[in-house]
Amino acid sequence: MASIDPRVFAEKGCIGLEGFHPKARMASIRQSLLDGLKRAHVGKGIPPAIRSLPMFQQIARLSALVQVPGLHASLVTPELKEAITALGGQAPVSIQETQLLLSPRAQGNWSLQGLNWHVDVTAAARGPIPGIQAFFLIDDVAPRGGATLALAGSHRPGVDIPALRRLLKASTHLERDLQSLGIELIEMCGRAGDVFLMDMRVLHTPSINATRELRMMATARCFLQT
């Protein structure tokens, strides 16, 4: 498992922890998820009513079709809370219930254009960390497989957010242009059991799943401020 370094987290606002959860735990969650989708009559084919939605609304609708008993307790463990505390400088004051993040297979050609960049809380860059969001890989997620994207460093004081948003809309060489600003594009792909922790002031977005595999992730928001 990757080390928990508050200095790196303060600089980037997003770090990955490889193999944080045991593969056996994730395999059990994955099977429960697949069983739930089967009961909802969603197999390899995604219902037309979901396919007809805008790409990122597909995630919410598909994720709402299934519930995995014990998901929150299985993922938001004491070890995860310890990691959040180490990075945030204090224990969470509240943690939202874990939510599934499921993306249909083959949503289209992968692109960095037209994505839904956002933050989940608005807080001053020079203030304390408002919260840390955890992203869990339930199954392996390949590059361009629908993983959440994050702009590491976009939370730092001095970043011109309006200018950055204009760049996100207009740039045709986004990764190169972001690097010139000292901002790194992180794609939260990897192996089942990996966890990404993100300062909730960091700009992030769902991405297009261009693969033939269902994207299986989950997320929990851990608030450090009231």
Side-chain angles (χ1 to χ4, degrees):
M1 183 179 72
S3 61
I4 307 290
D5 190 334
R7 292 171 299 179
V8 173
F9 187 72
E11 176 67 17
K12 291 191 170 185
C14 186
I15 61 171
L17 306 176
E18 295 182 1
F20 188 89
H21 285 303
K23 287 190 178 294
R25 180 182 302 162
M26 308 315 287
S28 177
I29 294 173
R30 177 182 181 275
Q31 189 57 57
S32 294
L33 194 159
L34 290 174
D35 290 344
L37 288 173
K38 186 176 180 179
R39 288 193 294 271
H41 306 291
V42 179
K44 291 187 177 181
I46 302 300
I50 293 178
R51 281 290 186 189
S52 64
L53 294 171
M55 202 162 298
F56 304 121
Q57 290 183 25
Q58 295 176 16
I59 298 170
R61 284 288 298 275
L62 183 60
S63 301
L65 291 177
V66 60
Q67 293 186 352
V68 176
L71 178 68
H72 186 77
S74 295
L75 296 179
V76 183
T77 59
E79 293 79 13
L80 182 82
K81 295 175 186 177
E82 288 176 9
I84 298 292
T85 300
L87 294 177
Q90 66 176 74
V93 297
S94 65
I95 301 176
Q96 285 186 347
E97 191 71 16
T98 300
Q99 299 175 320
L100 288 169
L101 296 174
L102 308 181
S103 295
R105 306 167 177 85
Q107 287 185 302
N109 295 327
W110 201 82
S111 172
L112 292 174
Q113 305 301 314
L115 300 180
N116 182 28
W117 295 100
H118 65 282
V119 294
D120 291 328
V121 296
T122 301
R126 296 188 184 277
I129 300 174
I132 295 175
Q133 188 165 356
F135 295 88
F136 309 96
L137 273 65
I138 297 172
D139 197 6
D140 295 351
V141 178
R144 304 192 173 189
T148 298
L149 306 178
L151 297 184
S154 60
H155 66 304
R156 294 192 301 255
V159 174
D160 187 337
I161 296 298
L164 178 55
R165 287 188 178 277
R166 290 194 294 271
L167 177 69
L168 293 171
K169 290 181 179 180
S171 175
T172 56
H173 299 88
L174 185 57
E175 290 188 76
R176 182 195 66 191
D177 292 340
L178 289 171
Q179 288 176 358
S180 70
L181 299 177
I183 293 175
E184 178 186 359
L185 178 67
I186 292 180
E187 185 178 8
M188 298 184 191
C189 54
R191 300 288 186 181
D194 294 353
V195 174
F196 287 84
L197 299 177
M198 185 192 75
D199 185 317
M200 290 177 65
R201 295 172 294 189
V202 168
L203 281 164
H204 60 288
T205 182
S207 66
I208 299 165
N209 184 1
T211 73
R212 297 184 180 225
E213 301 297 328
L214 180 72
R215 189 272 295 238
M216 298 185 189
M217 292 178 64
T219 189
R221 297 176 180 90
C222 305
F223 293 94
L224 302 177
Q225 310 296 325
T226 55

